[in-house]
Amino acid sequence: MPETRPQAVGFLGGTGPLGRGLALRLAVSGVDVLLGSRDQSRGREIAADLSGQLPPGSGEATGASNREVLERCALVLITIPYQAMGATLEELRPLAPGRILVSTAVPMEFLGGVPHPVTTGFGSATEQVAQLCPDSLVVGAFHTVAAGQLLKLDHTLDEDVLLTAHDSAAKERVSDLVERIPGLRPVDAGSLDSARFCEQLTPLLLRLNRLHRAHTGIRITGL
Amino acid sequence: MPETRPQAVGFLGGTGPLGRGLALRLAVSGVDVLLGSRDQSRGREIAADLSGQLPPGSGEATGASNREVLERCALVLITIPYQAMGATLEELRPLAPGRILVSTAVPMEFLGGVPHPVTTGFGSATEQVAQLCPDSLVVGAFHTVAAGQLLKLDHTLDEDVLLTAHDSAAKERVSDLVERIPGLRPVDAGSLDSARFCEQLTPLLLRLNRLHRAHTGIRITGL
């Protein structure tokens, strides 16, 4: 059966570690990726660097401005740290209607090296994206997947990705993307009001990493 | 090597589903259990019922009042629902100094059948127990293990138990108990200020159960 090549997946803040890591894994799986940055030339630089790591048969990695990413891609991962996410979306949201926006940010801060939750005022960062971009289809995903492990292609992933969304077709699209990455399993975690639980797994896993000097992930058993 | 029989493990509220489930599994592993209830005769009734299910070589199940449990046991699991936990501890805490108290309660409420977190004012139920019983050694554990699955002895468990405590010797004692139950793995989740994350896994798992008509648990990968 011939492999179909899905449309390019875009990244807002694609030059940060999570954006690069997810873009790398998706490109390896054959998906074209468009890495956005505030600074277009920075996007191109990171995309060129990523391209150098891709084996034959991979998708193409291209750089762009964040603005171009929203203009060109139907599915966009927001891989901007939480503290900068709101301001970026405030600026770019006129371009977001009709897009599937994947919220990956975790509202947390580090106090003495220890991660603590940050109150969003929206229940979760994912619900904040939905509030800011009411005409987009918002999906929460990838909160618990560590950028560092995605970036090491020789690291075998072994974890679940919890997905929340109101729109089930949009959730299905993101679920298909997760399934393209070996070692990741998508798990439907319901509607957006469960996103807070998915996001708050991350400070727990980071605390476990620190305590056990490990790289932890999560699996839901019994499914 | 002869099996050593640890001291009896006590249960405050041992007649509820989680208490009965954990007592059953521990008794099967050879541990003596003392099931406490507000009503001593109810404790005895449940203990007799439990005894009827125990295969040869099991520990003994005995009923008692909650008060007797604290008087007689060095290690006591508090398996009282969150809404009743505070009042019971207020009454019994003069008997708690020096005891290892295992906090299992999850601060949550059901709104339209959907579990939502409840604010404790202490960060977590586990920290609330520690505040109420400052001269006890408090360990948070078993939040994510479903009573219903514990009670079915033919159900194969497959999940981790996250442990939080300030006192590492107390945590180790509870960790040893977890290891006695096949299919459960203890995972050190640090000190009590991480208990909130462990407790908030439960509403997530309950939401997943509802969505997938499943009995979910959690595994931490990468350890």
Side-chain angles (χ1 to χ4, degrees), chain A residues 188 194 207 212 219 221, chain B residues 158 188 194 207 212 219 221:
Chain A
D188 184 355
S194 288
R207 287 171 180 223
H212 296 278
R219 283 280 189 199
T221 61
Chain B
D158 172 23
D188 184 355
S194 289
R207 286 171 181 223
H212 297 277
R219 282 281 189 199
T221 61

Side-chain angles (χ1 to χ4, degrees), chain B residues 107-173:
Chain B
M108 64 179 176
E109 62 187 348
F110 288 82
L111 304 173
V114 180
H116 286 262
V118 163
T119 303
T120 61
F122 299 87
S124 63
T126 307
E127 288 160 291
Q128 184 172 350
V129 175
Q131 192 99 351
L132 283 166
C133 307
D135 299 322
S136 305
L137 303 168
V138 176
V139 181
F142 296 115
H143 300 105
T144 53
V145 182
Q149 305 316 106
L150 292 170
L151 285 164
K152 287 180 212 143
L153 275 183
D154 60 349
H155 174 80
T156 305
L157 299 167
D158 172 23
E159 49 192 298
D160 289 342
V161 173
L162 298 174
L163 302 175
T164 53
H166 288 317
D167 187 274
S168 54
K171 196 193 276 175
E172 198 54 49
R173 281 274 283 128

